């Protein structure tokens, strides 16, 4: 604030301290000189006051939207864990399509992540598309968080004798030995409060097993974690 106020004072802006605080509130401090005509305008106080009120409303709306999204995810997770309907609408599809959708949704969080994608051609599988998207969402989100959103994310899909094998490998912090037996337990999390509900991997396991598949993992502290999902081609 002092630096911005000093710059404004050098350019003859009145009430520089107050206007500097508003400039910072708008996150416009990197381009403060572009706003000099406005800041020197006779009605600048009125304009900045209105802009400040709008900024407060936008910030509040953003917080509300974020809270609603978190609540929605928790409700969805509880429904997935509590009922017998983890798998409902089964239809034919290609797994790579669901994985690519999830990768696209995380694009803004992957600016420093190099994705290595090795998907073999394979016959379509029958699965619940919405539930399976949840599987890839939780596994990829966990990988990105373990990597602190930078590093190499390896995704591999190959056809085995009677099943598809999908591996998601990160080069993140790894899972401590004392936590490995609890990874798939509902509500277990090593993250700080507000960062995770501890239900993601429990849901993943439930959905995968609902498709008559299996999931396991290998992990080393400092080297990363690999989750392996196996889904049968014939799950009728």
């Amino acid at each position: 604030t002092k630096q911005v106020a000093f710059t404004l004072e050098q350019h003859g802006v009145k009430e520089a301290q107050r206007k500097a605080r508003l400039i910072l509130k708008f996150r416009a401090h990197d381009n403060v000189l572009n706003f000099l005509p406005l800041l020197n305008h006779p009605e600048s106080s009125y304009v900045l006051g209105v802009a400040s009120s709008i900024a407060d409303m936008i910030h509040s709306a953003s917080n509300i939207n974020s809270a609603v999204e978190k609540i929605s995810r928790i409700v969805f997770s509880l429904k997935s864990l509590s009922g017998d309907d983890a798998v409902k609408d089964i239809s034919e599809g290609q797994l790579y399509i669901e994985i690519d959708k999830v990768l696209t949704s995380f694009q803004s969080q992957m600016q420093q992540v190099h994705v290595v994608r090795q998907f073999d051609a394979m016959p379509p599988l029958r699965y619940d598309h919405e539930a399976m998207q949840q599987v890839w969402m939780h596994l990829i989100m966990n990988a990105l968080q373990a990597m602190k959103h930078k590093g190499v994310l390896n995704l591999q899909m190959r056809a085995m004798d009677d099943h598809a094998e999908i591996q998601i490998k990160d080069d993140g912090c790894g899972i401590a030995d004392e936590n490995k037996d609890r990874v798939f337990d509902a509500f277990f999390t090593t993250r700080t409060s507000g960062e995770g509900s501890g239900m993601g991997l429990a849901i993943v396991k439930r959905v995968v097993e609902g498709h008559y598949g299996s999931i396991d993992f290998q992990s080393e502290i400092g080297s990363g974690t690999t989750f392996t999902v196996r889904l049968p081609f014939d799950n009728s």
Side-chain angles (χ1 to χ4, degrees):
T1 305
K2 288 179 181 177
Q3 288 177 344
V4 174
F6 179 72
T7 301
L8 297 181
E9 286 170 354
Q10 284 186 314
H11 289 82
V13 176
K14 296 178 181 178
E15 298 182 274
Q17 191 75 19
R18 184 179 72 85
K19 291 178 180 178
R21 285 196 296 270
L22 290 172
I23 288 291
L24 283 159
K25 184 176 182 179
F26 305 146
R27 298 179 184 177
H29 48 283
D30 290 335
N31 302 300
V32 64
L33 296 181
N34 293 339
F35 294 90
L36 287 177
L38 167 63
L39 296 172
N40 283 316
H41 193 277
E43 299 295 331
S44 64
S45 293
Y46 172 75
V47 174
L48 288 172
V50 172
S52 177
S53 298
I54 293 171
D56 287 337
M57 285 189 285
I58 291 172
H59 181 67
S60 297
S62 176
N63 287 341
I64 292 168
N65 287 336
S66 177
V68 168
E69 286 174 8
K70 286 180 181 178
I71 291 168
S72 297
R73 285 197 298 268
I74 290 170
V75 170
F76 181 89
S77 299
L78 288 170
K79 285 176 66 179
S80 298
L81 284 172
S82 63
D84 296 324
D85 58 350
V87 177
K88 294 182 292 184
D89 301 320
I90 302 291
S91 60
E92 209 169 70
Q94 291 283 359
L95 289 176
Y96 76 88
I97 293 176
E98 317 301 334
I99 296 174
D100 283 346
K101 285 179 183 177
V102 173
L103 287 173
T104 300
S105 71
F106 283 119
Q107 200 165 14
S108 64
Q109 302 178 38
M110 298 172 64
Q111 302 300 318
Q112 300 181 65
V113 176
H114 176 57
V115 179
V116 178
R117 184 180 174 280
Q118 296 173 297
F119 292 171
D120 291 350
M122 65 176 61
L125 279 78
R126 289 178 54 77
Y127 56 89
D128 180 328
H129 292 238
E130 183 179 348
M132 197 56 68
Q133 247 187 67
Q134 289 289 316
V135 168
W136 312 131
M137 184 196 76
H138 286 300
L139 290 177
I140 291 172
M141 179 170 62
N142 279 6
L144 293 175
Q145 289 174 340
M147 298 161 59
K148 299 190 185 299
H149 299 87
K150 57 184 177 182
V152 179
L153 178 65
N154 279 281
L155 305 173
Q156 187 179 75
M157 181 163 56
R158 55 185 177 175
M160 308 300 281
D161 292 336
D162 60 351
H163 66 272
E165 183 178 275
I166 304 94
Q167 288 191 330
I168 296 177
K169 180 180 179 182
D170 65 65
D171 59 358
C173 58
I175 300 169
D177 288 341
E178 62 268 24
N179 294 329
K180 287 181 179 178
D181 290 340
R182 303 184 62 194
V183 160
F184 294 111
D185 290 354
F187 305 108
F188 173 72
T189 180
T190 58
R191 298 195 182 97
T192 57
S193 177
E195 288 188 356
S197 63
M199 292 186 283
L201 289 177
I203 291 169
V204 167
K205 190 172 190 290
R206 182 175 170 81
V207 171
V208 169
E209 290 180 349
H211 287 84
Y212 305 100
S214 65
I215 180 170
D216 56 40
F217 69 92
Q218 292 181 325
S219 185
E220 257 185 75
I221 291 293
S223 297
T225 302
T226 302
F227 277 92
T228 302
V229 175
R230 298 177 183 88
L231 296 168
F233 288 121
D234 183 7
N235 59 9
S236 57

